[in-house]
Amino acid sequence: MATTIISGKEISKAFKDRLKKSIELLKIQKENDPNAVFPGLAVIQVGSDPASSIYVNNKKKSCEEVGIVSFSYTLDDSATESELIELIEALNVDPRVHGILCQLPLPKHMDEFSVINAIDHRKDVDGFHPVNKGLLSIGRDCLVSCTPLGCLMMLKEMNIDICGKNCVIIGRSNIVGKPLAALMLAENATVTIAHSKTNNLKALCQTADILVAAIGRSGFVTADYVKPGAVVIDVGINRDPDNKVRGDVNYDEVFEVAGAITPVPGGVGPMTIAMLMQNTYQAYLSLTQS
Ligand code: NDP
């Protein structure tokens, strides 16, 4: 059977188009309301790391595409943690802002946990706040981290059956592996999280109906890790010495074995941004309708 390419590029476009329509409708409905507020996302960047600047610009561009108002804040590298938290606290009470995103990583003199904790969890569109993490782990509605949510949405949009399937996730980070495990468990998959200390990793991966690689090592997952016909989701974004972006999966090899596979680029990456837009809209609805 031919291998299906799961195009995050196409699926994310469909998500953003739907969102754009909902926001256009909102604008029509509130046309005559002088106090109308529309979905707004505040993006904070501390310092001028070039990779962070690219991510931040892509997020602003996506806001424009779907009709979300974006507010942009750049703090100097030398800004203190208190200054950043002061800004976050002002945004927490700003009625024009429904989502607050602080681009990571932060400079070393700042404590990421304290900064994330300062964000009103109802505006935590990255889904990193401990309240959202806790709600996710007990299966309650919450803002879910964008990358794992994007992985789940791709599977759903492709009508891939998750219930009862063996899902192996390589990677146990707080932003990808762990929240994805909670999402897959909620979909009734049998979930195993693997990491750098896992014994017999290859044999474990061969049991997976759905294999997710979130490792940060270019081409780590080769064809011999993959059960024939398995669905392979590649979260990795690695810049190789030839300056090309590659995933954690050896795409060419694994394509020959897998039943379905996400490419890099054009897979999980664009889904992450689409989910950020969706989370901002969701936060807007819950903040304005409560
Ligand atoms: P982390 O570095 O936080 O976590 C990597 C995980 O991989 C760790 O749990 C680590 O194990 C595990 N690991 C490392 N080496 C091995 C190994 N040899 N065998 C088994 N497991 C191993 O990374 P992130 O979760 O933040 O990101 C993972 C990848 O996803 C990166 O390439 C990142 O760039 C990409 N990414 C992509 C996004 C997107 O939008 N597409 C968004 C976020 C991340 P241990 O815990 O034992 O150290």
Side-chain angles (χ1 to χ4, degrees):
M1 266 237 307
T3 307
T4 303
I5 298 173
I6 306 175
S7 169
K9 202 171 160 188
E10 279 170 27
I11 299 171
S12 65
K13 186 177 178 307
F15 261 93
K16 287 201 283 189
D17 286 348
R18 285 201 289 267
L19 198 55
K20 188 176 171 190
K21 284 204 181 101
S22 306
I23 294 172
E24 275 167 2
L25 196 65
L26 201 70
K27 288 185 176 161
I28 294 168
Q29 282 165 351
K30 299 196 174 212
E31 210 169 22
N32 300 317
D33 177 358
N35 299 319
V37 185
F38 298 103
L41 173 67
V43 181
I44 308 170
Q45 184 179 357
V46 186
S48 53
D49 171 57
S52 290
S53 301
I54 294 173
Y55 289 132
V56 163
N57 280 333
N58 286 343
K59 287 165 188 174
K60 284 189 221 159
K61 223 171 83 195
S62 278
C63 281
E64 251 169 61
E65 270 169 44
V66 300
I68 288 177
V69 186
S70 74
F71 304 92
S72 179
Y73 301 87
T74 310
L75 299 189
D76 202 72
D77 249 331
S78 60
T80 62
E81 188 180 304
S82 320
E83 284 169 330
L84 174 57
I85 291 180
E86 216 170 281
L87 169 61
I88 291 172
E89 283 169 350
L91 296 170
N92 281 344
V93 292
D94 188 332
R96 300 166 307 159
V97 171
H98 309 95
I100 302 172
L101 180 152
C102 197
Q103 185 63 44
L104 302 179
L106 293 170
K108 289 203 174 14
H109 64 277
M110 293 188 183
D111 177 40
E112 225 163 80
F113 184 73
S114 308
V115 170
I116 290 167
N117 239 333
I119 299 174
D120 179 339
H121 74 271
R122 296 167 309 164
K123 297 190 177 185
D124 165 43
V125 283
D126 257 339
F128 293 165
H129 193 286
V131 168
N132 284 317
K133 297 264 174 229
L135 290 170
L136 176 66
S137 74
I138 58 169
R140 302 298 295 254
D141 275 352
C142 61
L143 289 163
V144 179
S145 303
C146 303
T147 302
L149 185 60
C151 293
L152 178 65
M153 288 305 149
M154 280 202 284
L155 294 171
K156 290 202 163 190
E157 288 288 312
M158 297 299 291
N159 291 317
I160 290 169
D161 208 8
I162 302 174
C163 181
K165 294 290 190 283
N166 280 343
C167 173
V168 174
I169 300 166
I170 320 175
R172 57 174 160 180
S173 73
N174 289 330
I175 62 165
V176 187
K178 283 183 203 155
L180 182 58
L183 288 174
M184 297 300 277
L185 200 55
E187 296 294 326
N188 298 312
T190 303
V191 183
T192 311
I193 306 183
H195 46 77
S196 67
K197 307 288 186 292
T198 299
N199 287 334
N200 304 322
L201 180 64
K202 198 179 283 186
L204 175 69
C205 292
Q206 285 163 353
T207 66
D209 303 304
I210 301 170
L211 178 62
V212 182
I215 312 164
R217 286 175 159 231
S218 183
F220 181 93
V221 174
T222 43
D224 49 349
Y225 279 68
V226 179
K227 177 161 97 172
V231 175
V232 179
I233 307 285
D234 189 352
V235 180
I237 299 179
N238 310 289
R239 196 160 287 274
D240 279 359
D242 61 4
N243 213 27
K244 285 214 167 112
V245 172
R246 290 205 174 81
D248 289 343
V249 174
N250 184 323
Y251 185 86
D252 292 340
E253 268 190 26
V254 172
F255 181 89
E256 300 299 326
V257 188
I261 185 168
T262 63
V264 176
V268 177
M271 288 303 292
T272 298
I273 295 202
M275 293 304 108
L276 175 67
M277 300 299 112
Q278 172 138 311
N279 277 353
T280 304
Y281 185 62
Q282 185 191 324
Y284 165 83
L285 292 180
S286 41
L287 284 161
T288 53
Q289 288 170 3
S290 60

